Amino acid sequence: MKISEKSTWTRGSPNSSRNIVENLLYRNYFTWKSGGHFEDTIYALSSGRGKAGVAVIRVSGPDASKCIERLTRPFNSVKAEMETLPPSRKAVFRKIIHPSTGEILDHGLVLWFPGPNSFTGEDIVELQVHGGNAVVQGILGALGKLQDYRPAEQGEFARRAFENDKLDLTEVEGLADLLNAETEIQRRLALRQAGGALKGLYDSWRSDIIKNLALVEAIIDFGEDENIEDGIFKQVYDAISSMYLSITNHMNDNRRGEILRDGIHIAILGLPNAGKSSFLNRIAQRDVAIVSHIPGTTRDIVETTLNIGGYPVVLGDTAGLRDTDNLIEAEGVFRAKKKIQQADIKICIIDSAMLVGDEAKVNLKKSLGPIVTDEIDSNTLILLNKSDAVETADGIRELKETIIKELGSSFIWEVSCKTGKGIDTFLGSFAEILESSYGTMVAESPLITQARHRVHLGDCIDAIERFLGQDDMVLAAEDLRHAANAMGRITGRIDVEEVLDVIFKEFCIGK
């Protein structure tokens, strides 16, 4: 429901089942800070700063039309034209002038978006002008001369859209993620969320909870007199049980959405001088890490962000894993092990030239050392580096068989970080592994992308579990109320003030 609709409601008895849904939404309405009304008009550069062909300056607020009247003139300056706003959503070419001096600042396009059918729900004006710094600063300075105009704060346009019921919190977060997306998968994930995919899912669950809560309240208020209890509570119980399974399945996603949003963290591990830093540099196509023949060169975690097959990847080079008396190197090994344990994917680099031969086949774990082999599992990706230095193909084949048998991983590739041999083959296979693990995002259900979503969903599930095990009808109703509130906090229906500042600070000025 829209704010204008909610504001006409009257409250009934708090114990009346007829008013239970209204009471919940009534409390929701009064969490809005200002009811969607703002006295001042804000402006900001909405396009990127610096020299550009075009700059977009956005104005939003009750007096937005004033900037058209005071700052723009048609080229054929007829008084009637000067006083008339341009057609809504149609670009007109005008002179941009200073309101005090009348000096022409630029020529540009003016677009008029009357509220409430605009991004913020307010009147909006966009000035599309040349992107030179002097032009932009001149126009921003001119806007500052208008009464009740002020520069926008960070994320204030999006916040006004939220306050005016144009966006819910999940859509706001999706919009922020869309602005920050660096890979194709991040773009798809953010676009779906900004388009309301999560909102639709969570609102439907919350609506169903509230409907069933109203039935429970009806049983409490009228069950004895009206004989409506028979079968109604079982109907509620079955519906909530089904919803419980749906929410649980939604949460059992291995954090895919959060990982895709923040980047898939990958740890490179192995013995000193196995070629870990060379591999990082080869993949990044630049010198990210120092490469030296001296063992133990890498002490701290060296990370770089990459786009592999459209997936965001944070690749981290770690210190060579070995026992050492050097305190600094030992600290590097400690940090490396911590990074490896936290990683989403592990890549182990093995010096194949060192391990080919009868000795290695018999004592592979001894040759690698327990500090390395303890970190390898069946999902670890293993790269046999320096394969160009191995004289026979049989040696590599036998080493692969030994790795599969003793270490349990069958994800093995032959590469040479020095020459680049096998790197492209590995990257192709790696992209397929990422797609298999994290999905294509084309036809999947919406994914959880924020830690706060997971927290509130967990609270909702806890409340539903209490409901399903509840014998007292009044307490059962309270459990459903808690479940609805927890779901409402995700989309911003209730009790959201504590998260608003954090969310909107992620935006740039002008959005």
Side-chain angles (χ1 to χ4, degrees):
M1 295 219 177
K2 302 300 182 185
I3 290 178
S4 59
E5 297 171 1
K6 294 181 219 172
S7 61
T8 63
W9 291 350
T10 57
R11 300 183 71 182
S13 166
N15 295 322
S16 170
S17 61
R18 182 173 56 85
N19 291 305
I20 184 64
V21 175
E22 295 177 3
N23 289 342
L24 284 171
L25 294 178
Y26 179 91
R27 289 195 293 271
N28 167 28
Y29 169 60
F30 279 99
T31 61
W32 300 78
K33 268 186 152 181
S34 58
H37 300 291
F38 300 89
E39 295 181 357
D40 49 1
T41 298
I42 58 174
Y43 62 90
L45 174 67
S46 288
S47 53
R49 295 191 177 276
K51 295 180 180 179
V54 176
V56 177
I57 296 173
R58 175 181 283 175
V59 179
S60 179
D63 293 326
S65 61
K66 187 186 296 183
C67 78
I68 298 180
E69 299 166 356
R70 299 284 306 279
L71 263 71
T72 75
R73 293 289 183 272
F75 280 88
N76 297 320
S77 297
V78 179
K79 185 177 180 180
E81 292 178 326
M82 291 169 57
E83 294 176 348
T84 304
L85 292 174
S88 64
R89 292 170 180 77
K90 290 186 178 180
V92 295
F93 190 50
R94 289 195 172 184
K95 301 173 186 176
I96 313 296
I97 67 169
H98 196 284
S100 301
T101 66
E103 176 190 1
I104 297 178
L105 302 175
D106 195 16
H107 302 154
L109 296 179
V110 179
L111 291 99
W112 165 239
F113 302 94
N117 299 318
S118 67
F119 173 72
T120 62
E122 304 174 317
D123 290 346
I124 285 183
V125 173
E126 285 191 2
L127 305 176
Q128 297 184 10
V129 297
H130 294 99
N133 290 329
V135 173
V136 170
Q137 293 306 316
I139 296 174
L140 292 177
L143 288 169
K145 298 295 184 181
L146 300 181
Q147 186 177 358
D148 296 327
Y149 270 52
R150 65 169 175 81
E153 297 179 0
Q154 198 161 323
E156 190 170 1
F157 286 91
R159 181 155 186 166
R160 290 193 176 199
F162 168 76
E163 298 280 10
N164 287 317
D165 209 21
K166 290 294 182 178
L167 300 172
D168 82 318
L169 285 186
T170 62
E171 291 172 315
V172 169
E173 289 165 331
L175 181 59
D177 290 344
L178 188 61
L179 296 175
N180 295 319
E182 296 183 349
T183 71
E184 177 66 11
I185 294 299
Q186 286 178 322
R187 181 192 66 79
R188 292 182 189 176
L189 184 68
L191 190 60
R192 291 189 67 187
Q193 184 170 332
L198 280 179
K199 174 188 176 182
L201 180 63
Y202 296 154
D203 277 353
S204 67
W205 280 336
R206 182 172 181 271
S207 176
D208 289 343
I209 293 173
I210 291 176
K211 289 177 183 176
N212 285 283
L213 172 58
L215 292 175
V216 174
E217 289 282 350
I219 294 172
I220 295 172
D221 289 348
F222 310 114
E224 294 182 1
D225 299 332
E226 304 294 337
N227 297 319
I228 65 171
E229 186 172 355
D230 294 343
I232 295 296
F233 189 76
K234 184 180 186 305
Q235 174 185 330
V236 172
Y237 187 93
D238 291 345
I240 297 299
S241 296
S242 177
M243 184 186 303
Y244 174 80
L245 293 176
S246 298
I247 298 174
T248 303
N249 290 335
H250 179 63
M251 290 190 67
N252 292 336
D253 61 351
N254 295 317
R255 295 181 56 253
R256 284 194 300 151
E258 293 149 277
I259 291 172
L260 289 173
R261 176 181 180 269
D262 298 330
I264 304 165
H265 286 260
I266 299 173
I268 307 171
L269 64 101
L271 288 171
N273 271 18
K276 300 183 299 300
S277 298
S278 297
F279 173 73
L280 178 67
N281 292 345
R282 172 68 67 171
I283 297 296
Q285 298 182 350
R286 61 188 179 90
D287 291 335
V288 179
I290 297 174
V291 175
S292 171
H293 67 280
I294 302 173
T297 302
T298 301
R299 301 293 177 86
D300 211 341
I301 309 299
V302 180
E303 291 187 335
T304 187
T305 302
L306 303 172
N307 181 343
I308 298 181
Y311 291 85
V313 168
V314 182
L315 197 60
D317 183 21
T318 64
L321 299 179
R322 66 174 178 178
D323 294 321
T324 177
D325 295 328
N326 185 300
L327 294 179
I328 298 178
E329 186 178 357
E331 175 63 21
V333 172
F334 172 78
R335 295 186 182 189
K337 294 177 72 175
K338 184 177 179 180
K339 174 68 176 178
I340 292 166
Q341 292 168 2
Q342 295 172 343
D344 301 309
I345 297 176
K346 296 181 288 187
I347 297 178
C348 180
I349 308 294
I350 292 178
D351 183 348
S352 56
M354 180 186 77
L355 294 179
V356 168
D358 293 337
E359 180 69 17
K361 284 191 293 182
V362 176
N363 298 303
L364 178 62
K365 289 188 176 181
K366 181 178 178 181
S367 299
L368 289 175
I371 196 170
V372 173
T373 56
D374 287 349
E375 302 295 345
I376 298 175
D377 54 37
S378 59
N379 294 317
T380 303
L381 311 184
I382 296 178
L383 300 186
L384 301 180
N385 189 29
K386 306 179 184 179
S387 59
D388 54 315
V390 178
E391 296 182 357
T392 64
D394 288 342
I396 291 290
R397 179 180 54 78
E398 292 173 352
L399 179 57
K400 285 183 178 180
E401 293 173 353
T402 306
I403 289 172
I404 294 172
K405 180 180 178 181
E406 294 195 22
L407 303 183
S409 175
S410 57
F411 298 102
I412 307 171
W413 292 265
E414 306 168 33
V415 301
S416 171
C417 296
K418 180 179 180 181
T419 66
K421 172 189 173 184
I423 295 293
D424 289 341
T425 300
F426 165 72
L427 288 177
S429 300
F430 188 38
E432 293 176 358
I433 291 173
L434 293 177
E435 182 175 335
S436 174
S437 300
Y438 297 99
T440 61
M441 296 302 303
V442 174
E444 299 179 3
S445 61
L447 295 177
I448 302 169
T449 60
Q450 304 274 348
R452 75 172 192 90
H453 299 176
R454 197 172 294 278
V455 169
H456 294 317
L457 286 169
D459 292 341
C460 181
I461 283 180
D462 290 342
I464 290 176
E465 287 177 344
R466 292 195 300 271
F467 166 82
L468 295 175
Q470 191 60 260
D471 295 326
D472 188 289
M473 194 70 69
V474 174
L475 294 179
E478 190 65 21
D479 291 331
L480 286 185
R481 187 174 294 108
H482 288 161
N485 288 350
M487 193 67 71
R489 290 188 183 99
I490 302 177
T491 58
R493 292 284 189 177
I494 56 170
D495 298 338
V496 298
E497 290 301 324
E498 69 274 10
V499 299
L500 291 184
D501 289 339
V502 174
I503 290 173
F504 290 108
K505 282 180 181 177
E506 294 184 11
F507 284 88
C508 56
I509 299 292
K511 193 58 181 174

